[in-house]
Amino acid sequence: MKIVNENVKLDGIDKTILNYLMEDAKKPILEIAKNIGITGAAVHQRLRKLEKSGLIEGSRMMLDARLLGYKTMAFVGVYLDKAVSNPQAVNKLREIPEVIECHYTTGNWSIFIKILCRDNEHLMNVLNKNIQAIEGVSRTETFISLNQQINRQIKI
C-alpha cells in the first residue's frame, strides 16, 4: 500500500478505479467493478473513502471552448506595482469571465493567468479594458498559445 500522506492511503485497486474515472468520469461504476473483479458496492465504498480524504475534489464536465467560439488561449504575466496589491487584483480578476486560471508565482510576475477569448481582438480588449485597468497592475506580458499539446492529470 502506498501512503500519499497521512490522510490518503492508496492501494492498487484504488489507483485502478481512479485511473478509470480520470480517463472518463462518466464510466459506470458497475463496469469498473466488473473489470477489476470486485463489487459495485466496494467501488462506491472506496470512492467515498477517497472523497472523505480530500483526494477526490469532485467531478466536472469539460466543454470544448473552441466549439463555443473561444479560439484564442493566452497566458499573461501580470506585474503589480507592489505585493500588497495582490488580493485586490485577484478579486478584480475573478470578475473577468475570460480569466480561467490565476496563479501567485515566483519570478518576474506577481500573478500568472490563463485567458480564453474568441479571437485576438477580444484578447486585446480584455487586456486593455479589463486587466490593465485594475488598480495596482503596472503592466502585463502576454503569450498566445498556438496549440495545447499536452492535457492530462497527474499520474498516480
Side-chain angles (χ1 to χ4, degrees), residues 94-109:
R94 276 192 184 96
E95 297 173 9
I96 303 170
E98 294 86 354
V99 175
I100 59 174
E101 287 184 23
C102 179
H103 301 267
Y104 184 49
T105 63
T106 61
N108 293 329
W109 311 292

Side-chain angles (χ1 to χ4, degrees), residues 31-97:
E31 184 181 329
I32 295 170
K34 181 180 173 191
N35 290 341
I36 298 174
I38 62 176
T39 66
V43 172
H44 277 291
Q45 232 175 9
R46 286 170 176 269
L47 287 172
R48 276 196 305 273
K49 173 192 76 166
L50 295 171
E51 286 171 354
K52 187 176 176 184
S53 75
L55 179 66
I56 297 175
E57 294 181 341
S59 61
R60 62 178 106 169
M61 184 174 295
M62 302 302 294
L63 302 177
D64 186 336
R66 293 170 299 190
L67 296 177
L68 294 171
Y70 290 84
K71 299 185 182 333
T72 299
M73 181 182 297
F75 298 90
V76 180
V78 179
Y79 294 85
L80 297 177
D81 54 9
K82 49 189 174 267
V84 296
S85 300
N86 183 285
Q88 296 88 353
V90 171
N91 284 334
K92 289 294 186 185
L93 289 167
R94 276 192 184 96
E95 297 173 9
I96 303 170

